[in-house]
Amino acid sequence: TVVKAFETELGVQPPLGFWDPLGLLSDASTERFERLRYVELKHGRVAMLAVLGQVTTKAGIHLPGTIDYAGTKFTDIPTGISALDKVPAAGLAQIVAFIGFLELFVMKDS
């Protein structure tokens, strides 16, 4: 079976063995398995960076200067989800555009 095909992959450990509770790989090829593994690693790294950003700003470490021409300082921006109301729309658009650029041109599947 396909489940047995992935039993020898890195990360398979007793007592669970190959763990696929949603059945995403029930009839998958090796290419699909590798793609999902790559995406899981990438998303894990992004999550780690997000936690690092949260911890850093909660510790009071902010960029110097202002975030926009209106004079909003980086220190005026709160942490977490509440920052979405304080960051200017153009700033959010730049963040989304940068993430899109990274997804399309830098962090490609190899």
Side-chain angles (χ1 to χ4, degrees), residues 93-105:
Q94 289 174 10
I95 292 169
V96 170
F98 182 65
I99 292 170
F101 171 78
L102 290 177
E103 283 286 328
L104 293 174
F105 299 109

Side-chain angles (χ1 to χ4, degrees), residues 11-24:
V12 176
Q13 299 179 39
L16 295 177
F18 178 71
W19 193 60
D20 183 25
L22 298 178
L24 296 175

Side-chain angles (χ1 to χ4, degrees), residues 52-64 74-75 77 79:
L52 182 63
Q54 178 75 5
V55 169
T56 302
T57 54
K58 281 281 190 185
I61 301 170
H62 300 278
L63 293 171
F74 283 103
T75 55
I77 306 294
T79 60

Side-chain angles (χ1 to χ4, degrees), residues 5-53:
F6 301 124
E7 278 295 324
T8 59
E9 291 293 332
L10 182 65
V12 176
Q13 299 179 39
L16 295 177
F18 178 71
W19 193 60
D20 183 25
L22 298 178
L24 296 175
L25 296 170
S26 59
D27 60 349
S29 64
T30 303
E31 291 80 23
R32 172 102 172 121
F33 176 80
E34 293 298 329
R35 165 87 175 121
L36 289 176
R37 176 177 274 184
Y38 172 81
V39 170
E40 181 180 9
L41 285 173
K42 182 169 64 168
H43 290 163
R45 290 172 181 155
V46 169
M48 286 187 274
L49 287 172
V51 168
L52 182 63

